[in-house]
Amino acid sequence: MSEMRRVTAICNGTVVDHIPAGKALQVMQMLRVDIGRSNPISLVMNVPSGKAGRKDVLKIEDRELTQEELDRLALIAPNASVAIIRNYSVAEKRQIELGSELVNIARCSFWNCITQNSREPLPHKLRVISADPLDLRCSYCGRSQSIEELAESIL
Amino acid sequence: MAALGFVGGQGMSDLITMDDLTNDEILEILDAAERLLPVANGDVYAPLLQGKVLGNLFFENSTRTRMSFESAMKRLGGEVVNLSSVGSSVAKGETLYDTMQMVDGYSDIAVIRHPRQGAAQYSADAIGIPVLNAGDGAGNHPTQTMLDLFTIRQAHGSLEGLNVVLVGDLRYGRTTHSLSHALVRFGAKLTLVSPESLRMPTEIVGDLQSHGSDVVESENLAGAIADADVIYMTRIQKERFPDEDEYAKVAGIYKMTADDLAVAKAGMIVMHPLPRVDEIDPSVDSTQHARYFQQAFNGVPTRMALLCRSLGVEVPEEVGE
Ligand SMILES: [Zn+2]
């Protein structure tokens, strides 16, 4: 675990490890930890990892991410591992789960989808056709979603 | 593959995409439509849907589809209420959700046509009464596919093993996409005839081939006529093209005349979802092959069968007796 020493251990908070290399910024965006908060965040990118070649690691201090928040990561980092840290040690490990449908996590990116009218009240729903490779389709219009675009359409 | 239409938790009674129907269900509906033919053409009166009200919601115009649903409902003794979107609450910016709540209260079944894709599934999720999709943007139009299948089976007795030639705009046309998906489920062979710029999208062609079907692409209509069992012509729509020049290159590229059909098999039929522009010359109308007006009429018995199915009304073996 030599790469973990690149950033100091945190006292309390959440560590998201094994993020695909280069995706940590998108992960931050999806977790919405990049805006409106003052928690210290450490980010390491492109560190060598036996398992995945290279990986990114994200440490968020003084905040324990909920399962619901973490499940958002299934979109870009389905194999990330998550540890909740309390008093410098791992208190809980959490798995990211990709359900069969993502409800109100991201909006469909198709310009002519009925859900583009922001006043329509029904939830945004994306159906999981396949987890690997990730294939998501809007439950209303049926369009396949580009994962890059989805990061921009997080609710 | 999976039934997109079932996602919203609605019942068996909606029809949003062709994926909502199994092959057996498709054949059952076609059988029921055949039994309803004498009702559709007015020879027999069978008030199977008496007391039922259809809400016809056309957020964009489609005279043929709207009228055939209306005719189907009325021939079966039902009533129709129409939404006219001009000057209504819709024009005042009402959400689709709110409009559908109103329709839920006024009718027993809703038919919706909407310019936005996904509108039919959204409506089905929003209300409890059955919803039939009559076209959502570039998405699905399953009742058109059903009437096309009905017309083909009526002429050939079966859907299996036919050589169906699809001609024209195969790139944007949802009609041909949906029909070709349905046909390969029944083992049809497809010949796709289009100009290079309007070829069927490669992912759709791949999808069709993955069903084990024989799919041939060509730019040449004349060479495809002799072996065809069905020639399905479509209109090349001007509004699909970014500029006049691109349109001019392909406009009028396929013009079928009666003379072209001299090499055709006796039982070959020519279909078209209509309206046509100049892709089928009027000289074809009087040949034994022309089937497009019959096809338009077939919208009535097919939609009758679909209305009955969604409303849980059995079509008797002997209608009107
Ligand atoms: Zn959509």
Side-chain angles (χ1 to χ4, degrees):
Chain A
M1 298 296 273
S2 65
E3 75 271 19
M4 295 302 283
R5 277 185 242 114
R6 284 170 202 269
V7 279
T8 48
I10 62 174
C11 176
N12 293 300
T14 308
V15 175
V16 185
D17 198 357
H18 293 107
I19 299 168
K23 298 283 186 190
L25 289 170
Q26 268 184 20
V27 166
M28 284 179 65
Q29 203 183 352
M30 287 191 130
L31 293 174
R32 281 185 259 172
V33 292
D34 56 337
I35 37 163
R37 288 185 183 263
S38 52
N39 309 55
I41 293 172
S42 343
L43 181 64
V44 237
M45 297 181 81
N46 287 323
V47 292
S49 157
K51 197 163 138 194
R54 301 215 163 237
K55 66 174 185 179
D56 291 359
V57 183
L58 185 65
K59 298 186 179 190
I60 304 148
E61 288 182 48
D62 301 323
R63 181 160 168 220
E64 296 188 3
L65 293 172
T66 64
Q67 188 67 45
E68 199 193 352
E69 287 172 307
L70 291 166
D71 286 345
R72 293 165 176 267
L73 296 187
L75 293 178
I76 48 170
N79 299 315
S81 54
V82 179
I84 304 294
I85 310 292
R86 289 175 199 139
N87 199 18
Y88 294 104
S89 61
V90 175
E92 274 176 56
K93 289 203 167 190
R94 292 202 178 142
Q95 296 296 318
I96 291 166
E97 281 163 28
L98 182 64
S100 59
E101 193 168 51
L102 305 175
V103 178
N104 273 338
I105 289 179
R107 69 173 68 242
C108 169
S109 56
F110 178 49
W111 65 273
N112 197 33
C113 179
I114 185 67
T115 59
Q116 292 288 323
N117 178 354
S118 58
R119 291 174 45 243
E120 291 293 350
L122 289 186
H124 295 270
K125 291 197 242 173
L126 301 176
R127 211 154 57 89
V128 179
I129 304 293
S130 128
D132 192 17
L134 189 59
D135 182 8
L136 299 174
R137 294 190 199 166
C138 174
S139 297
Y140 301 108
C141 74
R143 287 284 182 125
S144 273
Q145 306 290 311
S146 122
I147 307 308
E148 281 65 38
E149 277 172 2
L150 271 183
E152 315 273 301
S153 335
I154 295 294
L155 293 163
Chain B
M1 243 229 48
L4 268 185
F6 290 137
V7 165
Q10 85 279 23
M12 290 290 289
S13 49
D14 298 315
L15 180 60
I16 310 299
T17 104
M18 285 299 290
D19 290 339
D20 293 346
L21 301 173
T22 65
N23 284 13
D24 283 348
E25 285 172 320
I26 291 172
L27 294 174
E28 276 166 30
I29 293 163
L30 298 183
D31 288 344
E34 212 166 290
R35 299 201 292 277
L36 287 163
L37 267 172
V39 187
N41 62 33
D43 290 343
V44 170
Y45 181 60
L48 296 174
L49 299 183
Q50 197 163 38
K52 301 287 187 189
V53 176
L54 161 68
N56 233 351
L57 303 161
F58 280 67
F59 293 87
E60 71 179 9
N61 254 332
S62 176
T63 314
R64 205 175 313 276
T65 306
R66 187 177 57 75
M67 283 185 68
S68 76
F69 265 113
E70 189 154 350
S71 173
M73 193 67 186
K74 289 182 169 170
R75 292 264 197 218
L76 290 171
E79 304 286 333
V80 179
V81 290
N82 277 288
L83 168 103
S84 70
S85 47
V86 184
S88 69
S89 50
V90 175
K92 291 169 194 139
E94 185 174 62
T95 59
L96 179 58
Y97 182 87
D98 284 3
T99 306
M100 294 312 292
Q101 302 311 309
M102 167 190 79
V103 175
D104 199 16
Y106 295 170
S107 47
D108 303 299
I109 185 167
V111 169
I112 177 171
R113 175 151 183 136
H114 198 284
R116 282 207 184 257
Q117 203 161 322
Q121 181 65 62
Y122 187 90
S123 300
D125 283 10
I127 58 176
I129 62 171
V131 172
L132 301 185
N133 185 3
D136 59 336
N140 292 285
H141 191 3
T143 68
Q144 174 75 44
T145 302
M146 287 300 291
L147 77 87
D148 290 343
L149 293 177
F150 181 81
T151 305
I152 294 170
R153 200 180 71 151
Q154 190 179 42
H156 290 289
S158 149
L159 298 167
E160 255 148 81
L162 297 174
N163 178 21
V164 180
V165 182
L166 301 166
V167 186
D169 174 6
L170 305 184
R171 182 171 174 191
Y172 301 106
R174 70 175 167 200
T175 307
T176 50
H177 297 171
S178 173
L179 178 60
S180 46
H181 273 125
L183 284 169
V184 298
R185 286 168 62 178
F186 290 97
K189 176 191 168 192
L190 300 179
T191 305
L192 309 176
V193 177
S194 69
E196 177 68 31
S197 61
L198 293 175
R199 281 173 68 166
M200 192 169 279
T202 47
E203 61 274 17
I204 297 183
V205 175
D207 207 26
L208 297 173
Q209 283 165 334
S210 74
H211 277 79
S213 259
D214 201 354
V215 182
V216 179
E217 294 188 83
S218 160
E219 291 186 43
N220 175 10
L221 172 59
I225 293 174
D227 286 334
D229 296 305
V230 176
I231 299 181
Y232 197 105
M233 303 290 290
T234 60
R235 187 163 55 105
I236 293 177
Q237 296 183 52
K238 196 175 179 179
E239 55 271 25
R240 305 287 195 201
F241 289 85
D243 61 80
E244 291 272 332
D245 288 354
E246 283 300 306
Y247 174 67
K249 275 185 211 162
V250 293
I253 187 167
Y254 300 119
K255 282 185 183 163
M256 176 186 279
T257 67
D259 290 345
D260 297 332
L261 300 180
V263 296
K265 296 186 198 172
M268 188 278 284
I269 60 169
V270 178
M271 296 171 67
H272 193 298
L274 302 179
R276 63 176 156 177
V277 185
D278 55 4
E279 54 278 353
I280 302 177
D281 188 83
S283 65
V284 177
D285 297 2
S286 55
T287 69
Q288 61 190 340
H289 305 293
R291 207 52 64 92
Y292 26 92
F293 297 126
Q294 175 74 35
Q295 180 187 357
F297 163 76
N298 284 342
V300 178
T302 308
R303 288 174 174 128
M304 280 178 165
L306 291 167
L307 288 167
C308 286
R309 173 183 183 267
S310 285
L311 286 165
V313 172
E314 188 119 3
V315 177
E317 289 302 319
E318 301 289 338
V319 178
E321 287 188 8

